[in-house]
Amino acid sequence: MQYEALNLAQGFPDFPADPRLIAYVNEAMVEGYNQYAPMSGIYSLREAISGKMEALYGARYDPDKEITITIGATQALFTAITAFIYPGDEVILFKPAYDCYEPAIKINGGIPVPIQMEGKDFHINWEDVRKAISPKTRMVVINSPHNPSGNVLSEGDMQQLQALLKGTDILVLSDEAYEHLVFDGHTHQSVAKFPDLASRSLLCASFGKTFHATGWKMGYCTAPEELMGEFRKVHEFNVFAVNHPTQRALAKYLREPENYLQLPKFFQEKRDLFLSAVRQSRFKFTPCKGTYFQLLEYEDISGERDVDFAERLAREFGIAGIPISVFNTGQLDHRQIRFCFAKKRETLERAGEILKKI
Ligand code: PMP
């Protein structure tokens, strides 16, 4: 990094993955699982995902035909877009948006139709969505818990989306990379919970985010059989098979539900530790509802543009965050910086000390 600042910018943990999970990978390698895995992923992992989806969302996904293991959520998203978006197709997405959707749409000849979310908490105005739907709309991309805002879609939001799409052949691409990171008693509203949405959705998830191993690039996609068939036509020739020993390890680890059920508490404690220090600073905030990102507002400190303020934070104060305007339509700037709190206690305390001095 240019200024060697404390890095709370990029979304990855600075603490290790569970040594047990790492041991499972090692075991799988020693046991000889070092050759190609099946194209759609090993059955035991797909079965474990299916069991988790049923337990958490009451949804039944057939491990054989409706689940595919991918190289992280990113590949799942790209493959889903490539399988369904043809030149001239319109794809509705919400700004601020994670940065991999629009390039994937464009490379396939699709037309991104961005809708700016409203307010400093970034909520969807469903009337805007109704107006944006056209005969060319092929897909709507949603992301909850939401990067970069830390907001989550409510049950009401999901019902509005379901009602808007009823009777159309519009697909939903649901990026649920942070499905287990939801706080303060909120619950994750997966598309899998809403039958009419589930029937038109490709759901993408990330083991890297879930199990503090972003460098492994492991994820998956679930979708009804007909959609998954199309997804696999692209996956087969773009990826063929995903890292085998890691799949063995994840299959075993997923069968211990505590490994993901304890995540909301684990990350909420980190968020609260971070916020207890920020409370003594001049930054303002609303605690995030999900993800491991917290937005801090600095309008009481400076009138600078957020890109300039973020640059100065790194240069003068030695802390790096991400200015939110870069994810917005027309660089809309609410004077907010995103900080990642997936960090060990010492890092969060150091961050707190720095932020209090600004
Ligand atoms: N979606 C969102 C919203 C993300 O924040 C990220 C990671 N930053 C991804 C997808 C990509 O996940 P993966 O590393 O599993 O490809």
Side-chain angles (χ1 to χ4, degrees), residues 22-49:
I22 292 170
Y24 289 170
V25 180
N26 195 38
E27 263 168 42
M29 286 184 174
V30 172
E31 283 167 13
Y33 293 108
N34 299 304
Q35 308 309 329
Y36 291 130
M39 185 268 278
S40 53
I42 61 166
Y43 189 81
S44 59
L45 179 54
R46 287 182 280 135
E47 200 180 30
I49 292 166

Side-chain angles (χ1 to χ4, degrees), residues 107-119:
I107 213 165
N108 284 290
I111 302 165
V113 179
I115 295 179
Q116 178 64 44
M117 291 193 279
E118 292 187 344

Side-chain angles (χ1 to χ4, degrees), residues 72-74 77 98 101 143 147 175 177-178 206 209 217:
T74 311
L77 292 159
Y98 181 55
Y101 314 139
N143 167 220
N147 176 15
D175 179 351
Y178 299 97
S206 169
K209 294 288 177 186
K217 292 301 297 183

Side-chain angles (χ1 to χ4, degrees), residues 115-147:
I115 295 179
Q116 178 64 44
M117 291 193 279
E118 292 187 344
K120 287 186 176 179
D121 66 337
F122 300 106
H123 55 270
I124 294 174
N125 177 339
W126 292 103
E127 186 52 23
D128 289 347
V129 184
R130 195 185 61 72
K131 287 188 201 143
I133 292 175
S134 86
K136 288 190 179 163
T137 307
R138 181 68 180 123
M139 184 181 267
V140 178
V141 183
I142 57 171
N143 167 220
S144 180
H146 181 255
N147 176 15

Side-chain angles (χ1 to χ4, degrees), residues 78 81-82 93 98-110 112:
F78 191 91
I81 290 169
T82 303
L93 57 99
Y98 181 55
D99 54 11
C100 80
Y101 314 139
E102 282 184 75
I105 295 163
K106 287 183 186 159
I107 213 165
N108 284 290

